[in-house]
Amino acid sequence: MHRWGAAAFVAASLVGGVLLPAVPATAVHGAVPGDFNGDGYRDAVLPAPGANVSGKEGAGAVVVLYGSASGLSASRRKTITQNTAGVPGAGEAGDAFGAATATADLNRDGYADLVVGTPYEDTSKGTDSGAVTVLWGSRSGLTSGTDLPSPSSSPWHYGQDVAALGLGAGAKTRVVVAGGDATVNFGGPFSRTGKFGSAVYNDDTASPLSVALGDLNGDGVPDPASTTDRLSDLSGGEVYTNPAYGDALKGNGLIVASGDVNGDGYADLVAGDPDEPEKAGVDGATGGRVLVWYGSAAGITTATTPVQITQNTAGVPGASEKDDNFGGSLAVADLNRDGLADIVIGSPFEDLAKSRAGQVTVVPGRASGALGTGSYSFSQDTAGVPGAAETDDFFGTTVSVGDVDKDGRPELFVGAAGENNSTGAVWVFPGGSARPTATGSRVITPKAVGLTQQWGTMLGGDGLLSVI
């Protein structure tokens, strides 16, 4: 994995043969839409970790687009930075505010709250120690924030990934944070004054990269899961549900997400492993893969064998080709409203008519039988999708799902960090009768939401691009 310092913002990095601005955010998740103002409509979250703020390059911003019966409008928005009144800190060059985001009603007041990672924030604990901020929902939307501090005396890149899940009062609502040195698992009750119930610091696994929360054993309490950075001669990193050295699950990956894929009442763990295998037939798969561990009353243990999905899996569009990076982004959500969570998989380096144009594949959940049947994909070359696939767009850099017009049909959000000189863009695919559809899809550009810099905004987030 690349390690960036704040000074790197004056340079550029080479990713897949294209010069990208060296926004150092190694975070991998973006928030699902949440109803931040309590009007009954979920609001979309568009991170822009490379946004310049008051002349500070790469300070970072988050754009909230308010949902409505008519969907999203760029005119109904709020742009939040560390210079926004009520938000802790101040926008500084290279902070990457918004590098990771997560949504949940943490204080259970009926308004969704937004958790924001700023992994390159300089604090009294050190340079690039990082910060995590909770922006509290209210009738007026996100108007104030408090920090979730790391218990560590010397954190590093704290906030490079965040996950949040509310399943009930007290400890049934949790936030988990990844930093370069450790994970921190916060339990409720949370309050908008900044108080929380507990904070468990865990540095028993090296170099955490991605985190997720899901009720893997059905006890009503969110269980944390994590991946590490690449630690050995295997592709990807190690995957944990019990973050203790030696307890890595079978399989590996760089990004995790959770949802009930088979509808048995237990959340399942899904990992994206976009790396090429170091040892053919031993770890990884050509072009990348996704692994699924099914939850149970015993949770997920080191004895649990995952199911593997690749582009060569029956029913999955395309074919496994070297360096596709299938599994480079990931979301788990019920898109077809059958009660089973579907797996949304980004392949940001997928070659189409142009190299590394990118593609997104949806694998429907199944109560029985092999995963893969009924899968479908979107790219900028799909009929009805705005724009066209271009070299190094990296369509599928990030993915998320949420219903923003309250019609019961979730929208699919897809980011492409390389679009238009790495200013980025986000595509919105409206929910259809059985799945999201390209018909009526739209693209949201930085300019449309008031971000006018000419390069490096990375609207939608840069996901794993600085890693893969």
Side-chain angles (χ1 to χ4, degrees):
M1 184 177 80
H2 301 296
R3 299 296 188 191
W4 304 107
F9 277 79
V10 301
S13 62
L14 188 65
V15 177
V18 62
L19 282 174
L20 288 178
V23 175
T26 54
V28 294
H29 280 132
V32 300
D35 186 3
F36 302 120
N37 60 0
D39 65 354
Y41 296 95
R42 293 184 181 181
D43 311 311
V45 179
L46 277 59
N52 299 340
V53 178
S54 299
K56 305 296 185 180
E57 187 175 355
V62 173
V63 179
V64 175
L65 297 182
Y66 291 106
S68 71
S70 57
L72 301 174
S73 170
S75 65
R76 295 193 305 271
R77 69 177 189 266
K78 180 171 185 177
T79 300
I80 302 170
T81 74
Q82 287 184 293
N83 287 353
T84 300
V87 177
E92 300 165 319
D95 279 350
F97 178 80
T101 51
T103 306
D105 181 2
L106 298 183
N107 60 348
R108 301 184 60 75
D109 64 353
Y111 299 99
D113 309 305
L114 182 65
V115 184
V116 182
T118 312
Y120 291 83
E121 177 82 3
D122 295 343
T123 74
S124 61
K125 294 183 177 181
T127 301
D128 294 342
S129 56
V132 172
T133 302
V134 179
L135 302 176
W136 299 101
S138 71
R139 182 173 294 182
S140 301
L142 301 171
T143 58
S144 66
T146 56
D147 283 336
L148 279 178
S150 170
S152 171
S153 60
S154 55
W156 184 60
H157 296 178
Y158 175 70
Q160 68 183 12
D161 199 23
V162 294
L165 182 62
L167 297 179
K172 292 185 177 182
T173 294
R174 294 186 177 271
V175 174
V176 63
V177 181
D181 59 326
T183 59
V184 183
N185 190 5
F186 293 92
F190 295 88
S191 78
R192 61 188 305 125
T193 62
K195 294 181 179 179
F196 48 87
S198 62
V200 178
Y201 176 84
N202 191 300
D203 61 356
D204 289 339
T205 60
S207 301
L209 178 63
S210 173
V211 288
L213 286 165
D215 186 4
L216 305 176
N217 59 5
D219 66 355
V221 178
D223 302 305
S226 62
T227 67
T228 70
D229 192 6
R230 305 175 183 92
L231 300 178
S232 64
D233 60 352
L234 299 178
S235 75
E238 295 176 334
V239 183
Y240 289 88
T241 52
N242 177 23
Y245 183 75
D247 284 345
L249 301 181
K250 296 178 181 178
N252 42 299
L254 293 175
I255 178 173
V256 280
S258 184
D260 190 358
V261 175
N262 62 354
D264 64 356
Y266 301 102
D268 308 309
L269 181 65
V270 184
D273 183 22
D275 283 355
E276 294 300 311
E278 292 284 344
K279 301 176 182 177
V282 176
D283 74 304
T286 298
R289 65 178 180 171
V290 166
L291 300 178
V292 182
W293 294 262
Y294 289 111
S296 70
I300 295 171
T301 71
T302 55
T304 306
T305 300
V307 173
Q308 176 176 284
I309 305 169
T310 73
Q311 287 184 287
N312 286 344
T313 298
V316 177
S320 296
E321 300 166 319
K322 190 175 185 296
D323 296 326
D324 280 347
N325 288 113
F326 182 80
S329 63
L330 195 63
V332 181
D334 185 3
L335 283 162
N336 59 1
R337 309 185 312 284
D338 64 353
L340 309 175
D342 308 314
I343 305 171
V344 185
I345 304 164
S347 307
F349 282 52
E350 180 84 22
D351 292 340
L352 300 174
K354 302 290 186 179
S355 299
R356 298 176 298 277
Q359 180 174 279
V360 168
T361 301
V362 179
V363 178
R366 292 178 60 86
S368 61
L371 292 170
T373 301
S375 298
Y376 53 95
S377 64
F378 294 111
S379 74
Q380 289 189 73
D381 285 344
T382 301
V385 176
E390 300 170 313
T391 299
D392 298 323
D393 274 350
F394 306 122
F395 182 87
T397 302
T398 57
V399 290
S400 62
V401 174
D403 181 7
V404 295
D405 56 7
K406 208 168 67 171
D407 66 353
R409 301 173 177 182
E411 280 72 41
L412 170 63
F413 297 80
V414 177
E419 181 77 12
N420 292 339
N421 206 23
S422 298
T423 56
V426 175
W427 280 256
V428 184
F429 294 83
S433 58
R435 69 188 201 190
T437 174
T439 302
S441 60
R442 57 179 295 201
V443 61
I444 300 170
T445 64
K447 184 177 180 180
V449 294
L451 301 175
T452 59
Q453 70 195 65
Q454 299 301 305
W455 68 284
T457 315
M458 289 192 174
L459 185 69
D462 72 337
L464 284 175
L465 283 189
S466 61
V467 180
I468 57 178

